[in-house]
């Protein structure tokens, strides 16, 4: 049975259950024709993958109720079950928690079994062979960095704006270090798999041009089984969670690993003083290794100097900042030269009926973000959502790639659903999106497809995601974190020299009672007082 054809059978109640009552209400408010069941049926698979729908037991059982009795009996037979009393009840009792059961279910609905994301293809050890250059301002930063990195303090933070080549600059330092120290290991730490893979691939390119010997790249995150303490010479990219788990489980292994290491790099270094990350770093540099931190935002807040001072002290107040002759602010130079796009800030003002309670304010102060419960209430504000959707209707007339930062998973799916119904190529990516679907949508967004594509997301595309053609970011998520805000803005500001755009439009939904930020150029020097 073809799953797409099967969806034409489902009724309005089940459609509402899948897309959410809020989406239906919004669509009715905009145009009653948009909420027609036939319209919603046709776009379901553009927002949800068949596997995603069938993985939710409630939805799956509702689908079984739509099947005809002979179809239920056929599926039971394929599963090796016989009708004992009620065929529908018998089918719903099956949990579909084995590979065989899932394969039968997918075959029955004519769904192609997902191809595993390239886990095997990402080799844990890879020889790198020799085209890597730096701009003058990057070389100047390296020269200053080296004078601080190898002093008694042995810690320094490299502060460069998003899009100015932090990773490329750091790789030159790493290659120089590996050439001058043999044998030795260099360990790169990052908090997401995307950032880890990005670093591993970048080192492969840099060492091919700058290396003086064959060397191995070790990927140590996820299910990697590398004996990390046995590595005497090489470049190790490790997930912070993986390294912390190792520290808890076998301190002697990480101690041996630290003994072989002479340089540690911490990506997104504004997180370095978080307790678990700090413990990792302190252990790895305990045998006299140097520490290089990388960040576009060398602070953890925008309004708490004491917290930021803690980060500054951890790096012994040693920071190298990109300096451009003739420019007070390097961001201005990067924009003038086309490395970064010129930013056009467009606030989308909205006054919600919601107010921050004392509990909300305390949570905001303690966690530097609004609580999930408050954001959930905000995500259900229909007038706010209608304002966002209408704004995107305007944006698609002048942008080919738009990223939307949603409030939560449900909000991302809701916006994608409403935009799809309005005829816009919109998709949703969240932590719940099945791996194959996630990879497919990201590649589609990065492709040369000339149609406008809108990518709604929650918690996925703030770091480790590079799609230079993105010319617009819509930030619907209020945040008290200048770090997070800068990361979201950074997804859309690649300039023409980075295969991006001359201008980038940043639309921020400004809930007038909540905090907001100024231009990214001003933000670059936000933390200078604590350094």
């Amino acid at each position: 049975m073809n799953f797409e054809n099967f969806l034409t059978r489902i009724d309005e109640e089940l459609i509402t259950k899948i897309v959410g009552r809020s989406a239906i209400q919004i669509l009715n408010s905009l145009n009653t024709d948009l909420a027609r069941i036939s319209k919603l049926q046709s776009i379901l698979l553009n927002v949800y993958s068949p596997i995603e729908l069938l993985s939710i037991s409630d939805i799956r059982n509702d689908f079984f109720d739509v099947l005809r009795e002979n179809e239920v009996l056929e599926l039971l037979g394929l599963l090796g079950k016989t009708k004992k009393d009620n065929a529908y009840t018998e089918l719903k009792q099956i949990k579909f928690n084995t590979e065989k059961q899932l394969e039968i279910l997918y075959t029955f609905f004519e769904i192609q079994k997902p191809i595993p994301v390239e886990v095997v293809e990402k080799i844990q050890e890879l020889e790198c062979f020799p085209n890597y250059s730096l701009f003058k301002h990057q070389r100047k930063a390296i020269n200053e960095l080296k004078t601080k990195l190898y002093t008694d303090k042995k810690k320094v933070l490299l502060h460069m704006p998003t899009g100015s080549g932090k990773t490329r600059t750091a790789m030159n330092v790493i290659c120089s270090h590996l050439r001058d120290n043999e044998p030795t290991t260099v360990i790169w730490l990052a908090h997401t798999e995307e950032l880890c893979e990005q670093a591993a691939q970048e080192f492969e390119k840099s060492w091919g041009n700058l290396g003086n010997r064959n060397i191995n790249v070790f990927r140590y995150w996820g299910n990697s089984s590398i004996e990390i303490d046995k590595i005497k010479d090489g470049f190790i990219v490790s997930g912070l969670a993986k390294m912390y788990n190792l520290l808890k489980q076998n301190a002697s292994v990480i101690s041996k690993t630290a003994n072989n290491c002479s340089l540690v790099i911490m990506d997104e270094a504004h997180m370095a003083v978080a307790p678990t990350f700090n413990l990792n770093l302190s252990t790895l540099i305990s045998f006299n290794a140097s520490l290089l931190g990388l960040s576009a935002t060398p602070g953890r807040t925008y309004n708490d100097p004491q917290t930021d001072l803690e980060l500054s002290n951890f790096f012994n107040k040693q920071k190298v900042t990109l300096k451009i002759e003739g420019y007070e602010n390097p961001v201005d130079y990067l924009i003038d030269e086309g490395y970064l796009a010129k930013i056009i800030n467009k606030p989308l003002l909205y006054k919600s009926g919601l107010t921050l309670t004392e509990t909300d304010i305390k949570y905001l102060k303690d966690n530097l973000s609004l609580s999930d419960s408050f954001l959930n209430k905000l995500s259900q504000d229909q007038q706010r959502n209608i304002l966002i959707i209408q704004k995107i209707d305007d944006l698609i007339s002048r942008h080919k790639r738009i990223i939307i930062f949603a409030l939560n998973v449900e909000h991302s799916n809701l916006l994608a659903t409403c935009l799809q119904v309005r005829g816009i190529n919109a998709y949703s990516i969240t932590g719940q999106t099945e791996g194959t679907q996630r990879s497919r949508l990201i590649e589609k967004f990065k492709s040369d497809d000339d149609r406008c594509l809108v990518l709604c997301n929650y918690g996925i595309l703030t770091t480790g995601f590079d799609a230079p053609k993105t010319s617009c970011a819509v930030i619907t998520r209020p945040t008290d974190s200048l770090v997070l805000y800068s990361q979201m803005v950074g997804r859309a500001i690649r300039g023409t020299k980075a295969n991006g755009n001359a201008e980038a439009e940043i639309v921020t939904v400004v809930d007038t009672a909540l905090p907001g930020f100024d231009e990214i150029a001003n933000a670059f020097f936000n933390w200078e007082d604590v350094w």
Side-chain angles (χ1 to χ4, degrees):
M1 173 186 300
N2 181 273
F3 188 78
E4 190 170 351
N5 292 337
F6 168 75
L7 288 181
T8 61
R9 297 188 196 175
I10 64 178
D11 59 19
E12 184 176 352
E13 183 178 352
L14 184 47
I15 282 280
T16 301
K17 183 175 181 179
I18 294 171
V19 304
R21 194 166 300 279
S22 292
I24 301 296
Q25 291 171 341
I26 289 173
L27 293 169
N28 276 323
S29 298
L30 293 166
N31 185 336
T32 53
D33 287 339
L34 297 177
R36 290 198 315 256
I37 185 170
S38 59
K39 183 78 171 177
L40 290 166
Q41 286 170 339
S42 67
I43 61 91
L44 264 185
L45 292 181
N46 284 323
V47 178
Y48 304 91
S49 70
I51 291 172
E52 190 176 359
L53 291 172
L54 289 171
S55 69
I56 304 169
S57 58
D58 275 358
I59 301 297
R60 184 174 65 239
N61 287 336
D62 287 339
F63 283 168
F64 290 159
D65 284 333
V66 177
L67 292 172
R68 301 183 180 96
E69 186 171 8
N70 66 306
E71 293 167 340
V72 173
L73 292 172
E74 179 187 352
L75 182 51
L76 281 173
L78 291 170
L79 292 162
K81 306 288 185 181
T82 55
K83 175 184 174 185
K84 295 177 182 177
D85 184 11
N86 184 297
Y88 289 89
T89 302
E90 181 80 3
L91 183 57
K92 291 179 184 178
Q93 288 174 346
I94 300 171
K95 296 187 182 300
F96 293 94
N97 56 3
T98 69
E99 281 193 25
K100 185 175 180 181
Q101 289 174 337
L102 289 171
E103 187 171 346
I104 290 170
L105 183 65
Y106 298 157
T107 302
F108 177 79
F109 281 106
E110 297 180 16
I111 298 168
Q112 186 175 0
K113 185 179 178 181
I115 300 170
V117 182
E118 303 172 16
V119 174
V120 178
E121 295 299 321
K122 293 174 181 176
I123 303 167
Q124 293 184 6
E125 297 187 23
L126 182 67
E127 284 191 351
C128 298
F129 302 95
N131 213 4
Y132 220 71
S133 61
L134 291 176
F135 297 110
K136 184 177 180 180
H137 53 276
Q138 294 169 327
R139 296 196 298 272
K140 286 176 65 176
I142 284 181
N143 290 336
E144 183 184 352
L145 189 154
K146 285 182 175 179
T147 63
K148 295 182 177 181
L149 189 61
Y150 300 115
T151 62
D152 290 341
K153 293 184 177 181
K154 285 187 171 292
K155 293 180 184 176
V156 61
L157 187 141
L158 178 60
H159 177 205
M160 295 173 65
T162 298
S164 64
K166 282 191 305 297
T167 303
R168 191 180 186 93
T169 303
M171 287 301 169
N172 272 267
V173 175
I174 292 165
C175 290
S176 175
H177 182 88
L178 285 167
R179 288 195 308 269
D180 295 341
N181 298 272
E182 181 181 355
T184 193
T185 62
V186 172
I187 299 176
W188 181 293
L189 296 169
H191 70 289
T192 68
E193 292 191 4
E194 287 86 356
L195 285 172
C196 285
E197 183 59 33
Q198 187 180 74
Q201 290 183 12
E202 195 64 26
F203 179 79
E204 292 165 17
K205 288 191 288 185
S206 66
W207 189 254
N209 292 298
L210 305 177
N212 64 352
R213 63 189 183 276
N214 289 355
I215 207 166
N216 290 331
V217 181
F218 298 88
R219 287 170 166 86
Y220 190 66
W221 68 84
N223 295 320
S224 171
S225 57
I226 290 170
E227 293 182 275
I228 193 171
D229 58 318
K230 303 288 179 63
I231 301 169
K232 303 292 186 183
D233 192 36
F235 182 66
I236 302 168
V237 184
S238 173
L240 278 158
K242 184 85 169 179
M243 192 67 77
Y244 181 62
N245 288 334
L246 177 63
L247 181 60
K248 289 193 299 182
Q249 295 164 8
N250 197 329
S252 66
V253 170
I254 201 167
S255 179
K256 291 176 184 176
T257 301
N259 192 39
N260 296 328
C261 174
S262 57
L263 176 63
V264 176
I265 295 88
M266 171 73 176
D267 201 0
E268 303 295 331
H270 46 269
M271 300 187 297
V273 292
T276 54
F277 300 160
N278 186 279
L279 184 58
N280 265 338
L281 290 172
S282 298
T283 304
L284 287 171
I285 64 175
S286 59
F287 285 86
N288 215 30
S290 296
L291 173 64
L292 171 59
L294 308 177
S295 183
T297 49
R300 302 190 70 204
T301 69
Y302 83 99
N303 60 358
D304 186 353
Q306 191 57 43
T307 303
D308 298 331
L309 185 60
E310 185 181 354
L311 178 67
S312 173
N313 288 336
F314 179 74
F315 280 95
N316 296 321
K317 291 189 177 294
Q318 292 208 117
K319 178 165 71 71
V320 171
T321 301
L322 199 63
K323 298 181 180 72
I324 311 294
E325 189 175 343
Y327 285 84
E328 289 187 13
N329 193 318
V331 174
D332 296 330
Y333 166 80
L334 294 167
I335 291 172
D336 287 348
E337 293 297 312
Y339 300 110
L340 295 180
K342 180 181 178 182
I343 298 170
I344 301 171
N345 287 303
K346 293 284 186 70
L348 188 59
L349 302 179
Y350 179 71
K351 186 172 184 179
S352 170
L354 298 174
T355 56
L356 290 171
T357 64
E358 288 186 10
T359 302
D360 292 326
I361 293 170
K362 183 179 185 306
Y363 186 95
L364 178 61
K365 183 177 180 181
D366 293 343
N367 298 276
L368 307 179
S369 64
L370 292 163
S371 67
D372 289 344
S373 60
F374 184 87
L375 292 176
N376 185 52
K377 286 187 285 187
L378 195 60
S379 74
Q380 296 173 21
D381 187 325
Q382 289 190 41
Q383 291 305 313
R384 187 180 190 272
N385 288 330
I386 288 172
L387 185 68
I388 293 167
I389 291 165
Q390 290 174 333
K391 182 61 181 179
I392 294 166
D393 277 343
D394 168 56
L395 293 171
I396 61 172
S397 66
R398 55 184 179 274
H399 296 285
K400 295 294 185 182
R401 296 292 184 273
I402 301 171
I403 290 181
I404 301 175
F405 292 94
L407 292 160
N408 51 35
V409 171
E410 292 74 19
H411 192 229
S412 179
N413 290 337
L414 180 147
L415 291 175
T417 298
C418 293
L419 292 170
Q420 277 277 351
V421 173
R422 291 170 71 81
I424 298 168
N425 288 309
Y427 306 93
S428 175
I429 293 181
T430 71
Q432 296 179 10
T433 305
E434 182 263 324
T436 305
Q437 172 89 338
R438 176 169 153 181
S439 298
R440 182 182 67 81
L441 292 178
I442 288 176
E443 287 309 309
K444 187 181 184 74
F445 190 78
K446 290 181 176 181
S447 74
D448 294 327
D449 190 329
D450 198 45
R451 295 176 300 168
C452 175
L453 295 175
V454 179
L455 201 54
C456 307
N457 92 102
Y458 173 71
I460 296 295
L461 305 180
T462 53
T463 59
F465 173 76
D466 190 18
K469 293 179 182 176
T470 308
S471 59
C472 179
V474 180
I475 301 172
T476 78
R477 176 179 175 178
T479 175
D480 195 38
S481 168
L482 181 55
V483 173
L484 176 60
Y485 186 81
S486 298
Q487 288 171 338
M488 289 189 287
V489 169
R491 299 313 99 201
I493 60 174
R494 290 290 190 267
T496 53
K497 286 188 178 177
N499 300 314
N501 307 281
E503 293 183 345
E505 189 168 356
I506 307 299
V507 178
T508 305
V509 181
V510 178
D511 296 271
T512 51
L514 301 176
F517 299 112
D518 201 350
E519 293 183 19
I520 191 170
N522 295 334
F524 183 75
F525 287 117
N526 186 75
W527 297 276
E528 288 305 293
D529 55 337
V530 298
W531 287 88

